């Protein structure tokens, strides 16, 4: 059984529905009612408290509004559209800025509690939750604090005080600066003892660090959540770390403790009441941390053996009882796996942010238990606790918690914190707007967030804004469930998150094998940083080597030039330049991974789509203002996109090949293309949420691209984030995120080295160092004063570089874009069977799986081939930059499809499928009776006969009739003629505007004054200015259509309009149209055979008109003869009549081809004998002529 937390708790056995809070408190043996609570917190803490208590209230009272929640809200939280503000029953405005103005301001909290008449205050975690003045002041005003009293909080909540109490009680502790201090008989720590255990100043800190031995941790006693803690590994780091800890938690005492190496961070969840009882509700393993802040938690802890874990729980309970602790708390330990020892770390007198882990494995709703304890309910009477110990939830029997075992944990739970941090920059906090938070809870995974899709993470907020929890029957099951959830979550906005990074952590071998410790994650980050530094060092060495080779090359060239005279006597000297250049190119590092190239291609497609849309908008806007737009730039279908990613510069040319389709090619390889560019084509459509739907190679992906401050572009593709860089400039030091310049670490004009920290910034209440980047050594000049607020991208300082010539330059990407993207796959996707079969067979038809238009023709039916080819050719006529290989393929498919006998049946059945069940059965049957090959003209006649009988069928069958009408008057030839005619008319839609030779500006102004649609004017300009292949496309289509096919439809009006075009660019098309018009004026072949046959027969008659008269009359008609020669000369008949007809045709033909001359003596050639049967098939003639 897997428990799913309070979001979906197990069935409440023997449950009761109470009418009021008073009835419940009386039933459970409590002392006081609490029905109005002030939430002195924000973010996910407030969300979790309200949600958990409301769920408990609904289960208990069948209504969720029993408790009235008053929430505090700063202007920043209101502007962020924080989730808890919408959930609260009542909202109170409080001052903004740092938390000491609001959520950590005890006086303000107490004042609001009194003014609003609340019965209790819930402070959660962080802010004022560990300030003993809050519970003490509230108690004095008669208001309950949902948490421990001030005394125990002061004793155990303070890290120094709790460590003194723990070591005095015999609990093992790590070495620290107060490890020799003991108290006895009381949990109150005298002030002089506390002062003795605190670090006095920087000098004392150095001395204690040396005494304890490095590495050590310098910690603020009131710190937490990764704030007020620094790891120090050597003496020189102590001063800086001490100052940072002191600045992060102002006024807090500071202590030093030994860093436990290879230790696990295990913690025990406590619940205690005001009657002196305390229990352990299992625990959690929080060993995965960065900067000592937890990032992944899980439970139950598996690192410690059961017998050791039992001792840890027992010690934690004893510690809580010793100081009279009440409500929820957590005891944290460091556990060493090598020897099985554990040492006390601290006790947190509050609820931990990761408490839902314990809820999911125990079934105990902790915020609800906090409320019940605050109302004076004994632990053994709390229903969830009784269920955990196998007791009826509302019975009254006592429980011996020391002896009675609780139920085993319900499976395993893994929790992941969702934080606004950049894992690529050491988990540096980020802030900004959030445009989407898309997460759906499942039976195995649930989560909650402090903001939604219209919120933001502001600079005063905690970096954590969400928490995910995955349950499973065991650890491996929970791990897989969490990975799936992280892969599916979508968070977009100006911030960066740790989602992708944590998903990779969960897949690592160390995590799977549970071989982790508190230094594991920081070790991974350190290794990554070291690898990057090593790569930079290697690059610098390579650059130095290349410089030396270049100098050597120049020396050789100079020497070669100086000795050229003597060299010529011995033969030409070989030029070393090209060989050296080739060798240097071969030594270049391997190109970027295919995944990176795929991201760059997708980014380029999105940018091109957006630029095209912006250009179209700008064109229409300019036109609306009465100005003539810049047609050359705004209507262009080709764009250059330059991107920097992971040290490579991508220079890509993106062509718009269709209204929503773009082709991306490597601009550096265009000269290598043969028969078409090596490109990646994809359809790109804008989504309403700001994303883009991109389809390449049969795979659709949703991508989001934005350009936040300080970045060139951030692309989210397949739930992975790719950050494209600005041009690297080490001479300008910028802020990576919003914050405050807390301290300058060097003077103005000081010399700084690579990797040196030059400033500290405060980001989300944390102090972070800023360091000089690679190649950034030089003299620093400050641009901002201390204390100033910073926005992302702000210039903090500039550097006069010592060696500007050594600044890293991105390598130019020279790879084959098509090959790299096709072979990259996404997230290790496997190729489908069809693609695998193609590669095994060596099939490269179409050349590219990323170009969908090229792969259609292989197996598609003729109707789909024709449709695809028609679309491509229409795009050519509309001025889009259709690649050459697609144009060639479109012409081939167009011609082949229009000659295929399956085309009429396919188009007919496609149109008929829409009308299934709406046609008369008799008509359906008549259609089915048409034999193959399908006769569309017969089908049209049948349809028209039914329409004549029932006129209502005309509207129903309009689509079907228009499909069949394409074949009217000649079947497939007529269909082909109509298809070509449609292209000619599409061409004329643009060209007729310029038929009188008008300029583009005149045409645009004329259309604008006439009220023409601006979108149509834009399309016309694009076709006119960018459609360089439009005329050639029309010519090729006309050439492919035979004279006989053209006569199947009325081509004359369109050809006449083409012939009358006077624009110079239309001259080739106009000339061809004139030729076709002349051909159309000629008779058909059958008519020509008949007319020539009549003349031949008349010439063969004896006693008729003179032959010269008959021949002259025929020549004046201008009719051709060559087209029908075969008909008259190929007869095999040996009759005298046929021989005579052949001879007379030859005589007429000779006069035709000698029309410019006078034939005077046409005769049968000598040797031609009418009676010679051997010459039956021969016509041998002779003639004389003169001018």
């Amino acid at each position: 059984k897997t428990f799913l937390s309070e979001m979906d708790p197990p069935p409440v056995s023997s449950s009761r529905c109470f009418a009021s809070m008073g009835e419940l408190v009386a039933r459970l043996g409590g002392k006081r009612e609490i029905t109005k609570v002030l939430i002195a917190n924000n973010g996910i803490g407030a969300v979790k408290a309200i949600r958990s208590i409301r769920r408990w209230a609904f289960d208990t009272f069948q209504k969720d509004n029993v408790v009235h929640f008053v929430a505090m809200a700063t202007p920043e939280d209101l502007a962020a559209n924080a989730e808890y503000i919408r959930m609260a029953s009542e909202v109170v405005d409080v001052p903004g800025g740092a938390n000491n103005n609001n959520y950590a301001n005890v006086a303000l909290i107490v004042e609001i509690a009194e003014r609003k008449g609340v019965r209790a205050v819930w402070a959660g975690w962080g802010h004022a939750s560990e300030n003993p003045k809050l519970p003490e002041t509230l108690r004095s005003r008669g208001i309950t604090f949902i948490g421990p009293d001030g005394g125990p909080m002061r004793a155990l909540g303070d890290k120094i005080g709790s460590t003194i109490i723990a070591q005095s009680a015999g609990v093992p502790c790590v070495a620290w600066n107060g490890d020799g201090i003991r108290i006895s008989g009381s949990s109150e720590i005298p002030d002089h003892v506390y002062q003795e255990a605190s670090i006095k100043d920087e000098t004392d800190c150095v001395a204690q660090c040396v005494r304890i031995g490095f590495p050590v941790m310098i910690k603020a006693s009131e710190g937490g959540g990764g704030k007020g803690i620094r790891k120090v590994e050597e003496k020189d780091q102590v001063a800086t770390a001490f100052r940072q800890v002191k600045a992060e938690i102002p006024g807090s005492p500071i202590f030093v403790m030994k860093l436990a190496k290879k230790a696990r961070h295990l913690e025990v969840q406590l619940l205690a009441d005001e009657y002196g009882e305390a229990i352990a509700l299992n625990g959690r393993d929080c060993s995965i941390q960065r900067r000592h802040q937890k990032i992944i938690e899980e439970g139950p802890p598996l690192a410690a053996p059961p017998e050791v874990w039992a001792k840890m729980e027992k010690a934690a309970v004893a510690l809580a009882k010793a100081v009279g602790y009440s409500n929820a708390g957590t005891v944290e330990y460091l556990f060493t796996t090598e020897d099985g020892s554990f040492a006390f770390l601290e006790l947190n007198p509050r609820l931990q942010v990761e408490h839902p882990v314990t809820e999911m494995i125990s079934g105990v709703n902790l915020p609800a238990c906090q409320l019940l304890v605050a109302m004076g309910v004994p632990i053994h009477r709390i229903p969830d606790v009784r269920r955990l110990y196998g007791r009826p939830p509302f019975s009254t029997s006592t429980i011996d918690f020391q002896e009675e075992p609780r139920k085993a944990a319900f499976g395993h739970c893994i929790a992941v914190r969702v934080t606004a941090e950049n894992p690529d920059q050491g988990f540096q906090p980020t802030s900004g707007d959030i445009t989407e938070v898309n997460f759906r809870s499942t039976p195995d995974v649930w989560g909650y967030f402090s903001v939604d899709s219209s919120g933001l993470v502001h600079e005063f907020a905690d970096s954590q804004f969400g928490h995910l929890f995955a349950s499973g029957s065991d650890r491996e099951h929970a791990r897989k469930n969490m990975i799936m959830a992280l892969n599916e979550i979508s968070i977009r906005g100006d911030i960066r998150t740790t989602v992708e990074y944590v998903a990779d952590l969960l897949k690592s071998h160390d995590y799977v094998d549970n071989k982790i410790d508190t230094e594991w994650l920081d070790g991974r980050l350190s290794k990554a940083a070291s690898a990057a530094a090593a790569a930079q060092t290697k690059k610098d060495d390579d650059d130095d080597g290349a410089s030396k080779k270049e100098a050597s090359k120049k020396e050789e060239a100079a020497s070669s030039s100086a000795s050229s005279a003597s060299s010529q006597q011995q033969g030409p000297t070989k030029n070393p330049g090209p060989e050296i250049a080739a060798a240097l190119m071969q030594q270049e590092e391997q190109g970027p991974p295919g995944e990176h190239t795929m991201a760059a291609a997708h980014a380029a497609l999105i940018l091109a789509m957006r630029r095209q849309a912006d250009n179209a908008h700008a064109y229409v806007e300019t036109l609306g203002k009465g100005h003539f737009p810049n047609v050359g730039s705004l209507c262009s279908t080709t764009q250059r996109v330059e991107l920097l990613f992971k040290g490579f510069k991508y220079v890509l040319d993106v062509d718009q090949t269709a209204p929503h389709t773009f082709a991306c090619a490597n601009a550096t390889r265009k000269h290598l293309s043969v028969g078409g560019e090596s490109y990646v084509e994809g359809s790109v459509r804008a989504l309403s949420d700001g994303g883009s739907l991109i389809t390449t190679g049969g795979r659709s992906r949703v991508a989001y691209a934005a350009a936040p401050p300080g970045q060139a572009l951030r692309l989210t593709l397949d739930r992975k984030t790719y950050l494209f860089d600005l041009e690297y400039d080490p001479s300008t030091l910028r802020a990576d995120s919003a914050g405050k310049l807390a301290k300058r670490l060097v003077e103005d004009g000081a010399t700084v080295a690579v990797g040196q920290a030059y400033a500290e910034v405060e980001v989300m209440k944390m102090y972070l160092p800023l360091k000089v980047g690679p190649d950034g050594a030089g003299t620093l000049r400050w641009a901002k004063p201390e204390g100033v607020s910073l926005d992302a991208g702000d210039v903090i300082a500039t550097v006069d570089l010592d060696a500007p010539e050594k600044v890293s330059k991105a390598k130019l990407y020279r790879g084959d874009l098509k090959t790299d993207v096709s072979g990259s796959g996404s997230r290790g996707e496997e190729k489908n069977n069809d693609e695998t079969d193609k590669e095994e067979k060596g099939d490269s038809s179409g050349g590219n799986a990323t170009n969908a238009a090229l792969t259609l023709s292989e197996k598609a039916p003729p109707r789909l081939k024709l449709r695809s080819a028609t679309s491509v050719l229409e795009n050519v006529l509309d001025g889009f930059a259709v690649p050459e290989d697609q144009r060639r393929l479109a012409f081939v498919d167009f011609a082949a499809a229009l000659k295929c006998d399956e085309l009429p049946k396919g188009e007919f059945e496609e149109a008929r499928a829409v009308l299934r069940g709406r046609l008369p059965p008799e008509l359906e049957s008549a259609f089915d009776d048409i034999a193959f090959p399908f006769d569309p003209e017969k089908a049209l006649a049948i349809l028209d006969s039914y329409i004549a009988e029932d006129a209502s069928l005309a509207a129903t069958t309009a689509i079907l009739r228009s499909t069949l009408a394409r074949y009217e008057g000649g079947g497939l030839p007529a269909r082909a003629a109509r298809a070509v005619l449609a292209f000619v008319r599409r061409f004329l839609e643009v060209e007729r505007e310029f038929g009188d030779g008008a300029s583009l500006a005149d045409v645009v102004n004329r259309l604008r004054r006439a009220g023409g649609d601006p979108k149509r004017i834009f399309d016309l300009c694009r076709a006119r200015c960018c459609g360089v292949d439009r005329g050639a496309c029309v010519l090729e289509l006309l050439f492919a259509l035979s004279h006989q096919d053209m006569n199947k439809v009325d081509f004359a009006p369109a050809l006449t309009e083409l012939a009358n075009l006077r624009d110079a660019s239309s001259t080739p098309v106009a000339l061809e149209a004139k030729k076709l018009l002349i051909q159309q004026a000629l008779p058909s072949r059958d008519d020509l055979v008949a007319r020539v046959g009549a003349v031949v027969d008349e010439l063969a008659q004896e006693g008729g008109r003179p032959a010269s008269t008959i021949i002259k009359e025929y020549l004046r008609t201008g009719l051709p003869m060559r087209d029908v020669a075969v008909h008259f000369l190929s007869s095999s008949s040996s009759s005298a009549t046929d021989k005579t007809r052949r001879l007379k045709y030859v005589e007429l033909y000779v006069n035709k081809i000698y029309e410019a001359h006078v034939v005077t003596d046409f005769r049968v050639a000598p040797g031609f004998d009418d009676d010679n049967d051997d010459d039956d098939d021969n016509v041998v003639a002779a003639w004389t002529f003169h001018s």
Side-chain angles (χ1 to χ4, degrees):
K1 178 180 179 182
T2 301
F3 182 55
L4 307 176
S5 88
E6 83 284 357
M7 295 296 293
D8 191 9
V12 180
S13 59
S14 304
S15 63
R16 291 183 52 182
C17 180
F18 294 89
S20 67
M21 187 70 78
E23 180 186 352
L24 173 69
V25 173
R27 179 71 178 82
L28 299 181
K31 293 181 177 180
R32 61 194 72 88
E33 291 184 50
I34 296 177
T35 55
K36 191 171 186 179
V37 177
L38 172 64
I39 302 295
N41 208 310
N42 63 341
I44 63 172
V47 170
K48 180 59 169 60
I50 296 173
R51 181 171 292 174
S52 294
I53 294 176
R54 281 185 173 162
R55 179 57 191 265
W56 164 81
F58 184 82
D59 290 339
T60 306
F61 305 100
Q62 292 300 299
K63 53 184 177 181
D64 62 3
N65 60 350
V66 174
V67 179
H68 183 92
F69 292 102
V70 179
M72 302 165 63
T74 65
E76 292 86 0
D77 284 324
L78 288 167
N81 196 23
E83 181 74 12
Y84 79 95
I85 294 175
R86 293 197 300 273
M87 298 175 65
S89 309
E90 184 179 354
V91 176
V92 179
D93 290 341
V94 295
N99 67 349
N100 57 352
N101 297 323
N102 36 71
Y103 306 109
N105 189 324
V106 172
L108 177 64
I109 295 171
V110 174
E111 185 270 326
I112 293 173
E114 287 187 307
R115 177 158 48 93
K116 291 298 179 180
V118 302
R119 303 294 300 274
V121 173
W122 185 90
W125 52 83
H127 301 308
S129 63
E130 297 182 61
N131 189 338
K133 293 181 180 179
L134 181 58
E136 290 172 347
T137 308
L138 289 172
R139 177 184 283 272
S140 68
R141 309 295 173 88
I143 301 171
T144 301
F145 177 71
I146 303 178
D149 290 335
M153 180 183 288
R154 181 174 283 103
L156 292 178
D158 181 90
K159 293 176 174 60
I160 294 176
S162 63
T163 306
I164 294 174
I165 293 173
Q167 68 186 14
S168 300
V171 178
C173 298
V174 297
W176 66 297
N177 61 284
D179 49 17
I181 299 174
R182 299 287 190 278
I183 61 173
S184 60
S186 173
S187 62
E188 293 292 333
I189 303 175
D191 288 342
H192 72 279
V193 173
Y194 192 92
Q195 293 299 325
E196 182 183 354
S198 302
I199 296 294
K200 299 175 179 58
D201 51 32
E202 186 176 311
T203 303
D204 184 31
C205 186
V206 173
Q208 290 294 339
C209 289
V210 172
R211 181 186 70 83
I212 295 169
F214 296 97
V216 299
M217 303 296 297
I218 302 177
K219 303 177 69 173
S221 185
E222 298 173 5
K227 301 177 182 68
I229 181 171
R230 287 295 186 276
K231 175 183 175 181
V232 177
E233 301 201 30
E234 55 187 31
K235 185 177 179 180
D236 292 342
Q237 299 174 350
V238 174
T240 300
F242 179 81
R243 184 180 63 252
Q244 291 175 341
V245 170
K246 190 175 181 179
E248 284 186 357
I249 312 294
S252 171
I254 296 175
F255 68 105
V256 177
M257 62 178 291
K258 180 71 175 179
L259 176 64
K261 304 289 288 185
K262 302 297 182 181
R264 301 289 286 256
H265 181 116
L266 307 183
E267 55 190 36
V268 177
Q269 178 65 59
L270 295 176
L271 185 65
D273 59 26
E274 61 187 73
Y275 308 103
E277 187 62 88
I279 61 172
L281 300 174
N282 216 306
R284 302 176 287 268
D285 187 336
C286 307
S287 299
I288 299 184
Q289 306 174 5
R290 81 282 180 273
R291 291 200 311 267
H292 314 290
Q293 186 172 0
K294 303 162 189 174
I295 187 170
I296 299 175
E297 305 102 348
E298 59 181 291
L302 304 178
E307 62 276 10
V308 176
W309 179 249
K311 292 179 181 179
M312 297 168 74
E313 287 189 338
K314 186 176 180 179
V317 170
L319 187 60
K321 288 183 176 181
V323 297
Y325 189 87
S326 65
N327 219 281
T330 303
V331 174
E332 298 182 352
Y333 294 101
L334 292 177
F335 173 76
T336 306
T337 56
E338 294 180 356
D339 57 9
S341 63
F342 63 92
F344 175 80
L345 184 62
E346 62 184 356
L347 188 150
N348 290 308
R350 55 176 170 80
L351 200 61
Q352 299 272 80
V353 65
E354 65 271 17
H355 72 271
V357 172
T358 299
E359 291 181 323
M360 295 183 79
I361 63 175
S362 67
V364 177
N365 184 332
L366 283 171
C369 288
Q370 283 189 293
L371 180 64
L372 289 170
V373 169
M375 291 191 293
V377 176
I379 291 178
H380 73 276
R381 297 292 300 277
I382 296 176
D384 279 356
V385 174
R386 297 190 67 83
R387 294 188 188 97
L388 182 62
Y389 282 83
R391 300 296 185 89
F394 294 99
S395 61
T396 60
S397 59
T398 60
I399 303 175
D400 186 352
F401 293 112
Q402 303 300 318
E403 299 297 332
E404 295 188 34
R406 64 173 181 261
K407 291 182 180 179
F410 297 115
H412 199 89
C413 174
I414 295 176
V416 168
R417 301 189 185 197
V418 181
T419 60
E421 296 175 325
N422 186 351
D424 295 334
Q425 295 181 352
F427 290 86
Q428 180 172 313
T430 63
S431 60
D433 292 332
I434 294 179
T435 56
E436 180 190 41
V437 177
N438 188 354
F439 170 74
R440 298 177 179 86
S441 294
T442 68
D444 296 317
V445 184
W446 73 276
Y448 63 100
F449 295 84
S450 61
V451 294
D452 65 3
S453 297
S454 57
L456 64 86
V457 177
H458 57 78
E459 59 186 291
F460 300 108
D462 189 90
S463 63
Q464 183 180 358
F465 65 95
H467 218 158
L468 302 182
F469 303 88
S471 62
S473 57
D474 54 27
R475 186 174 186 268
E476 180 64 10
H477 187 197
R479 184 186 72 87
K480 291 178 179 178
N481 288 337
M482 178 58 78
I483 292 174
M484 287 298 298
L486 293 173
N487 286 343
E488 293 176 0
I489 191 173
S490 176
I491 301 173
R492 295 186 296 106
D494 295 337
I495 63 170
R496 283 295 309 279
T497 74
T498 54
V499 170
E500 300 162 16
Y501 188 86
V502 174
D504 289 336
L505 288 183
L506 293 174
K507 298 174 187 176
S508 66
H509 293 297
D510 287 342
Y511 185 84
V512 173
D513 297 336
N514 203 14
K515 296 179 179 179
I516 54 177
D517 54 58
T518 54
E519 297 180 277
W520 176 70
L521 180 52
D522 285 335
R524 283 173 59 101
L525 295 173
S526 178
K527 289 179 181 178
S530 298
Q536 179 64 33
T537 301
K538 180 179 182 301
K539 180 190 176 302
D540 293 341
D541 293 342
D542 291 345
D543 290 344
D544 290 341
S547 300
K548 292 177 181 179
K549 288 184 179 180
E550 181 65 22
S552 175
K553 168 188 167 182
K554 291 180 179 179
E555 290 178 3
E556 291 182 16
S559 174
S560 174
S561 176
S563 60
S564 59
S566 60
S567 298
Q568 288 176 357
Q569 297 176 2
Q570 301 174 4
T573 300
K574 193 173 183 181
N575 182 4
E579 285 70 23
I580 293 178
L584 290 175
M585 290 186 65
Q586 290 176 358
Q587 293 173 4
E588 285 187 354
E589 294 183 7
Q590 187 178 4
E595 179 188 350
H596 296 174
T597 304
M598 181 186 69
H602 281 70
L605 292 174
I606 294 174
L607 292 177
M609 180 269 292
R610 291 180 178 176
R611 290 179 188 173
Q612 184 276 330
D614 291 343
N615 289 345
H617 177 76
Y619 183 98
V620 172
E621 190 176 57
T622 303
L623 200 64
K625 294 178 180 178
H627 304 304
F628 181 69
N630 185 343
V631 176
S633 61
L634 297 182
C635 294
S636 175
T637 56
T638 299
Q639 302 176 49
R640 173 67 57 85
V641 177
E642 297 185 3
L643 296 166
L644 288 175
F645 188 72
K646 300 293 185 183
F648 281 88
K649 183 173 185 178
Y650 296 84
V651 182
L652 307 175
D653 282 339
V654 186
D655 295 333
Q656 187 177 11
T657 63
H660 302 287
T661 305
F662 297 81
C664 181
N666 187 350
T668 67
R669 292 180 60 89
K670 279 194 171 183
H671 63 287
L672 301 177
S673 302
V674 178
E677 298 169 14
S678 176
Y679 61 92
V680 173
E681 185 177 54
S683 67
V684 188
R685 294 181 180 272
L687 302 177
S688 60
D689 63 353
S692 302
L693 179 63
I694 307 177
T695 302
T696 58
R699 166 73 191 277
S700 295
R701 297 176 173 90
V702 175
Y704 297 90
Q711 295 176 4
L713 183 73
R714 181 175 63 227
L715 175 72
T716 303
L717 181 68
D718 283 337
R719 299 178 296 277
K720 294 188 68 174
T721 300
Y722 302 88
L723 296 179
F724 291 88
D725 306 315
L726 296 168
E727 288 282 355
Y728 179 59
D729 181 10
S731 66
T732 304
L733 304 177
R734 299 178 181 272
D736 293 322
S737 60
K740 183 176 76 174
L741 181 57
K743 186 175 181 61
R744 294 176 174 180
L745 300 181
V746 298
E747 296 294 330
D748 189 75
T751 300
V752 292
V754 173
Q756 178 182 346
Y758 65 90
E760 289 179 353
V761 292
E762 182 184 357
V763 180
M764 291 183 172
K765 301 175 286 184
M766 297 188 68
Y767 283 75
L768 302 173
L770 296 181
K771 297 181 179 181
V772 178
D775 307 320
T779 303
L780 183 140
R781 307 291 180 185
W782 287 106
K784 297 285 186 183
E786 280 188 3
V788 70
S789 295
L790 300 172
D791 291 325
D794 282 356
V795 177
I796 300 174
T798 59
V799 179
D800 299 330
L801 300 178
D802 291 340
E805 71 280 357
K806 291 187 177 182
V807 173
S808 300
K809 300 293 184 181
K811 294 183 182 298
L812 185 63
Y813 170 69
R814 300 182 181 276
D816 187 308
L817 192 69
K818 176 174 64 176
T819 302
D820 290 346
V821 172
S822 299
S824 68
S826 180
R827 292 184 175 269
E829 291 176 352
E830 294 183 358
K831 297 179 181 178
N832 59 42
N833 293 334
D834 290 341
E835 292 174 345
T836 303
D837 290 343
K838 276 187 179 183
E839 291 184 1
E840 290 177 351
K841 295 175 182 177
D843 184 2
S844 59
S845 60
N848 190 357
T850 60
N851 301 326
L854 301 184
T855 59
L856 172 67
S857 60
E858 190 170 336
K859 298 179 180 179
R863 60 185 174 81
L864 295 184
K865 287 185 182 180
L866 179 61
R867 185 176 303 160
S868 176
T870 300
S871 176
V872 171
L873 296 178
E874 286 176 347
N875 291 333
V876 173
L877 295 180
D878 290 346
F880 294 107
V882 179
E884 180 185 349
D885 54 344
Q886 290 194 33
R887 295 199 304 269
R888 292 197 305 266
L889 182 62
F891 282 122
V892 171
D893 283 351
F894 181 79
L898 288 170
K899 294 178 181 178
C900 184
D901 290 336
E902 297 176 1
L903 178 65
K905 180 70 172 178
E907 290 192 320
F908 170 74
E909 291 297 343
E910 184 178 45
R912 183 184 176 189
V914 181
L915 303 175
R916 291 293 183 187
R918 299 169 60 190
L919 298 179
E922 300 82 2
L923 179 57
E924 294 273 20
S925 178
F927 285 151
D928 292 337
D929 290 340
I930 300 176
F932 186 84
F934 181 76
D935 187 349
E937 292 185 280
K938 182 177 181 180
L940 180 61
I942 294 173
L943 178 59
D944 285 343
S945 66
Y946 276 83
I947 293 175
E949 296 177 3
D950 183 1
S952 65
L953 281 176
T956 304
T957 61
I959 296 177
L960 184 61
R961 194 186 188 289
S962 65
T963 300
L964 293 172
R966 298 170 184 168
Y967 297 89
E968 189 174 10
L972 276 172
R975 174 73 175 91
R978 288 187 173 91
V980 174
L981 180 59
F983 285 123
V984 172
R985 289 171 174 165
R986 195 179 191 97
F987 177 77
L988 285 170
E989 287 178 4
V990 174
E991 296 305 317
R992 67 167 54 100
E993 302 292 346
F994 302 89
D996 57 356
S999 67
L1000 180 63
D1002 292 339
V1003 171
V1004 170
N1005 287 328
R1006 182 176 68 233
L1007 293 174
R1008 181 179 58 81
R1009 288 194 297 268
D1013 178 16
K1015 176 65 168 58
R1016 180 183 178 275
I1017 299 176
F1018 174 79
D1019 292 341
L1020 181 144
C1021 289
R1022 181 193 59 236
R1024 179 68 176 176
C1025 298
C1026 303
V1028 294
D1029 298 318
R1030 298 175 69 248
C1033 178
V1034 171
L1035 285 175
E1036 189 158 355
L1037 289 166
L1038 291 174
F1039 291 153
L1041 199 64
S1042 69
H1043 176 60
Q1044 290 76 15
D1045 292 346
M1046 190 174 290
N1047 287 331
K1048 302 291 184 182
V1049 296
D1050 187 9
F1051 247 97
L1055 290 176
T1056 301
E1057 191 171 0
L1058 284 177
N1060 291 331
L1061 293 176
R1062 290 187 291 167
D1063 184 72
S1065 63
S1066 302
T1067 299
V1069 179
L1071 290 175
E1072 181 62 24
K1074 291 176 182 178
K1075 293 179 182 179
L1076 292 174
L1077 282 172
I1078 293 174
Q1079 290 183 6
Q1080 277 207 323
L1082 299 176
S1084 66
R1085 183 177 183 280
D1086 292 342
D1087 291 341
L1088 189 59
V1089 168
R1091 295 181 65 171
V1092 172
V1095 175
V1096 169
D1097 290 341
E1098 186 175 4
L1099 288 173
Q1101 290 179 0
E1102 296 182 1
R1105 293 189 301 163
S1108 60
T1109 301
I1110 299 172
I1111 291 173
K1112 287 180 181 180
E1113 287 181 357
Y1114 180 79
L1115 294 180
R1116 281 196 295 268
T1117 65
L1119 295 176
M1121 292 189 62
R1122 183 168 50 188
D1123 295 345
V1124 295
V1126 174
H1127 175 80
F1128 289 97
L1129 298 179
S1130 63
S1131 174
S1132 59
S1133 173
S1134 59
S1135 65
T1137 302
D1138 286 335
K1139 284 185 176 183
T1140 302
R1141 293 185 84 240
R1142 289 200 295 274
L1143 182 62
K1144 294 303 180 183
Y1145 175 83
V1146 171
E1147 182 179 1
L1148 183 62
Y1149 183 76
V1150 168
N1151 279 273
K1152 174 67 176 176
I1153 61 178
Y1154 282 85
E1155 190 173 2
H1157 306 276
V1158 177
V1159 178
T1160 57
D1161 184 18
F1162 183 86
R1163 59 194 181 279
V1164 176
F1168 179 74
D1169 185 356
D1170 289 342
D1171 295 329
N1172 188 348
D1173 293 338
D1174 294 337
D1175 295 329
D1176 288 345
D1177 294 332
N1178 297 326
V1179 176
V1180 182
W1183 62 90
T1184 57
F1185 67 94
H1186 61 82
S1187 300

